């Protein structure tokens, strides 16, 4: 995994040219971040500042896919040795699905605890060994998709109950990913507001009915003004 290297020059173009020379590649093959645009100063003397950039080679998509697959394969092999792992780089986080028929239940675990643990370990390894790769979401037998749909339906049901009773509803403790699903599902409901509550990685989501503001009728407002 390539690390960023810093380069300086009298301007950004010169700094980038030095980066291309260092990596022996074209500009389009580099991931470049401009740290400072530089300044010519007054008459090219006072206040002169050099431009600074940092650059590294862009990751080859095939290499990224293979690295992610190898990491997940090594973690799941003791549980599901014959599984097929598919990596979808077009999604963020990277979506990794495990096709496994015989050992899918064992791989998922009770309430998804096993697959969540494997996902956590995989992301820790990726962060350490491949810092340029984004996080992954691990799925097996479409468990994540079914779980996401279940959470959405739960959110909608709790929202309806909150509006009907006028009371605040709350979910069970959820991960940040699942809390986000709740918030996004209900964000367009004008009669509901949501808020996370608790400490640590697992928090509940409060689903609260919005208080209706009482509007005075025109005749009531006119009477008050003439008093």
């Amino acid at each position: 995994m390539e690390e960023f290297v810093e380069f300086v020059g009298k301007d950004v173009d010169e700094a980038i040219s030095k980066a291309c020379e260092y990596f022996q590649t074209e500009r389009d093959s580099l991931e470049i971040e401009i740290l400072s645009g530089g300044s010519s100063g007054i008459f090219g003397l006072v206040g002169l500042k050099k431009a600074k950039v940092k650059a590294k080679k862009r990751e080859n998509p095939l290499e990224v896919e293979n690295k992610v697959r190898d990491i997940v394969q090594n973690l799941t092999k003791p549980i599901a040795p014959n599984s097929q792992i598919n990596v979808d780089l077009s999604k963020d986080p990277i979506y990794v699905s495990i096709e496994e028929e015989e050992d899918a239940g064992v791989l998922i675990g009770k309430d998804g605890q096993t697959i969540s643990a494997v996902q956590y370990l995989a992301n820790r390894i990726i962060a350490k060994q491949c810092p340029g790769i984004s996080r992954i979401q691990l799925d097996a037998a479409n468990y994540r998709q079914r779980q996401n749909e279940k959470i959405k339906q739960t959110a909608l049901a709790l929202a309806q109950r909150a509006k009907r009773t006028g009371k605040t509803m709350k979910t069970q403790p959820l991960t940040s990913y699942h809390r986000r699903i709740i918030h996004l599902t209900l964000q367009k409901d004008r009669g509901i507001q949501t808020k996370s509550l608790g400490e640590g990685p697992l928090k509940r989501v409060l689903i609260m009915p919005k208080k209706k503001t009482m509007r005075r009728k025109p005749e009531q407002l006119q009477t008050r003004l003439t008093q």
Side-chain angles (χ1 to χ4, degrees):
M1 176 65 62
E2 291 280 357
E3 297 290 341
F4 276 105
V5 180
E6 292 188 2
F7 302 90
V8 296
K10 64 181 180 181
D11 53 31
V12 172
D13 286 337
E14 182 177 281
I16 292 176
S17 294
K18 290 183 178 180
C20 293
E21 183 179 352
Y22 176 86
F23 288 108
Q24 296 184 346
T25 188
E26 299 295 325
R27 179 170 181 163
D28 291 342
S29 299
L30 294 178
E31 184 176 338
I32 300 170
E33 182 177 337
I34 299 174
L35 302 177
S36 173
S39 173
S40 59
I42 301 175
F43 303 115
L45 297 173
V46 181
L48 177 65
K49 293 183 180 179
K50 291 188 175 182
K52 181 186 293 186
V53 304
K54 65 178 183 179
K56 69 175 183 178
K57 281 187 177 180
R58 292 186 184 277
E59 285 291 329
N60 184 310
L62 183 58
E63 291 180 359
V64 172
E65 183 177 328
N66 289 335
K67 287 176 182 177
V68 170
R69 182 181 290 107
D70 288 344
I71 290 172
V72 174
Q73 183 75 64
N74 289 334
L75 290 172
T76 58
K77 191 173 182 179
I79 307 173
N82 300 318
S83 61
Q84 179 180 340
I85 298 173
N86 300 313
V87 180
D88 186 352
L89 299 178
S90 66
K91 296 183 178 180
D92 187 18
I94 296 172
Y95 183 73
V96 181
S97 60
I98 303 175
E99 294 185 9
E100 174 60 55
E101 296 181 0
E102 296 181 359
D103 301 314
V106 177
L107 183 60
I108 294 170
K110 183 180 179 181
D111 296 327
Q113 292 180 0
T114 303
I115 196 169
S116 294
V118 174
Q119 176 178 295
Y120 173 79
L121 291 174
N123 279 317
R124 288 293 299 270
I125 295 172
I126 288 171
K128 186 175 182 180
Q129 297 183 2
C130 316
I133 300 178
S134 63
R135 295 174 62 83
I136 70 166
Q137 183 186 45
L138 196 58
D139 197 4
N142 291 324
Y143 170 76
R144 296 291 189 191
Q145 295 181 16
R146 289 185 281 110
Q147 186 185 42
N148 291 351
E149 185 60 32
K150 182 178 179 181
I151 290 175
K152 289 179 182 178
Q153 294 303 319
T154 298
L156 293 172
L158 289 175
Q160 288 299 322
R161 190 184 305 174
K163 288 187 287 187
R164 186 176 66 252
T165 64
K167 297 180 179 180
T168 296
M169 300 291 124
K170 61 182 178 181
T171 68
Q172 62 183 1
L174 300 170
T175 64
S176 60
Y177 173 77
H178 291 138
R179 293 197 303 273
R180 184 170 182 269
I181 292 177
I182 298 283
H183 294 308
L184 291 177
T185 300
L186 301 178
Q187 67 178 355
K188 293 183 179 180
D189 191 330
R190 296 183 178 180
I192 288 293
Q193 56 185 350
T194 59
K195 178 182 178 181
S196 294
L197 178 69
E199 300 293 336
L202 295 179
K203 300 178 183 178
R204 298 178 186 272
V205 177
L206 299 182
I207 300 174
M208 303 168 286
K210 289 183 179 179
K211 294 182 179 180
K212 296 181 179 180
T213 56
M214 298 297 293
R215 294 184 178 180
R216 294 190 181 94
K217 295 181 179 180
E219 58 270 19
Q220 292 177 327
L221 182 60
Q222 182 65 32
T223 301
R224 183 167 183 175
L225 290 174
T226 56
Q227 287 179 348

